[in-house]
């Protein structure tokens, strides 16, 4: 059997931590390996426990969630950890800063439990959790501030099909939705995504979305 996804929960409110941990541990494919109440503790615990996903709050004492995310998943981190930011603050600046710091996804705390679980599983697979409206309105708005592949011409080196897949990623489609749209298998989509990231020297789908907007492939 496949080992469960190891999750570290970081939130400064004990009730929130307990609630998240209870929901997550009830799933046979997920396992909470640690809990903490500030960003510094999250960084330290992640170094010892090696979780697959860190569920991270934003506003916390000692070290906030954005700074902790940067230390766990930011540019230059040797062994980056996947981070799912979950917060009560639905503010553009928090979403943008979280993604720029290296987070793979962003959810609000009032999201239903099923959405939290879906978010953890999605991030654990290496995919980004970005709703289409966030992709279009937020990432598109801030993309001009980020250049993940500096000096790379628009879509340079990508085949027509890879460009098509990149545009669909930027429009917020999942692998299954891309497969249905292009009438190809999900495994083929995964291959295209991997090639796109490799050719453009991008870390993940979040950077691919930003690149697509920044290079003018999507407006």
């Amino acid at each position: 059997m496949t080992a469960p996804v190891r999750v570290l929960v970081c939130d400064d409110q004990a009730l929130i931590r307990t609630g998240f941990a209870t929901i997550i541990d009830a799933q046979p494919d997920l396992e909470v390996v640690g809990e903490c109440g500030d960003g510094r503790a999250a960084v330290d615990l992640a170094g010892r426990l090696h979780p697959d996903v860190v569920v991270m709050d934003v506003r916390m004492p000692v070290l906030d969630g954005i700074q902790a995310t940067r230390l766990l998943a930011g540019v230059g981190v040797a062994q980056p950890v996947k981070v799912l930011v979950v917060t009560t603050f639905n503010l553009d600046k928090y979403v943008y800063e979280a993604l720029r710091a290296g987070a793979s996804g962003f959810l609000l705390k009032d999201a239903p439990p099923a959405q939290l679980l879906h978010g953890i599983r999605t991030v654990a697979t290496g995919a980004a959790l970005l709703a289409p409206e966030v992709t279009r309105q937020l990432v598109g708005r801030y993309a001009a501030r980020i250049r993940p592949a500096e000096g790379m011409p628009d879509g340079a080196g990508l085949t027509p099909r890879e460009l098509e897949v990149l545009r669909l990623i930027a429009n917020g489609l999942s692998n299954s939705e891309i497969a249905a749209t292009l009438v190809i298998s999900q495994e083929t989509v995964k291959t295209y995504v991997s090639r796109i990231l490799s050719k453009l020297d991008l870390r993940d789908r979040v950077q691919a979305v930003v690149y697509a907007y920044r290079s003018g492939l999507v407006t």
Side-chain angles (χ1 to χ4, degrees), residues 144-155:
R145 301 186 188 182
I146 310 175
R147 187 67 178 184
E150 199 65 49
M152 178 71 74
D154 298 355

Side-chain angles (χ1 to χ4, degrees), residues 201-215:
D201 192 26
L202 303 174
R203 185 188 61 213
D204 53 29
R205 291 171 73 106
V206 173
Q207 287 196 343
V209 170
V210 172
Y211 178 90
Y213 277 97
R214 185 68 182 90
S215 63

Side-chain angles (χ1 to χ4, degrees), residues 12-167:
D12 65 339
Q13 297 182 53
L15 285 176
I16 297 291
R17 288 200 308 273
T18 300
F20 282 174
T22 301
I23 293 168
I24 295 167
D25 264 338
Q27 306 302 307
D29 60 330
L30 305 176
E31 175 190 8
V32 175
V33 295
E35 301 177 36
C36 57
D38 66 76
R40 173 52 62 189
V43 173
D44 293 342
L45 277 178
R48 299 203 307 268
L49 300 176
H50 306 292
D52 299 305
V53 177
V54 177
V55 175
M56 183 80 74
D57 190 18
V58 172
R59 290 189 176 180
M60 294 183 294
V62 186
L63 191 71
D64 67 39
I66 303 299
Q67 292 174 298
T69 296
R70 189 170 292 112
L71 292 174
L72 290 171
V75 176
V77 175
Q79 295 181 312
V81 180
K82 298 178 180 68
V83 177
L84 175 63
V85 172
V86 184
T87 181
T88 55
F89 303 99
N90 185 19
L91 299 177
D92 282 358
K93 67 176 183 179
Y94 287 123
V95 184
Y96 168 66
E97 290 297 338
L99 297 178
R100 191 174 72 165
S104 295
F106 188 97
L107 284 178
L108 293 178
K109 286 183 180 176
D110 60 3
Q115 193 168 339
L116 170 66
L117 298 173
H118 171 70
I120 293 170
R121 293 181 177 115
T122 298
V123 168
T125 65
L129 186 73
L130 287 178
E133 60 270 18
V134 173
T135 299
R136 289 178 177 277
Q137 298 174 16
L138 178 66
V139 179
R141 185 182 311 162
Y142 288 110
R145 301 186 188 182
I146 310 175
R147 187 67 178 184
E150 199 65 49
M152 178 71 74
D154 298 355
L158 298 185
T159 66
R161 179 63 103 180
E162 288 166 350
L163 284 170
E164 192 173 12
V165 171
L166 177 56
R167 290 189 179 97

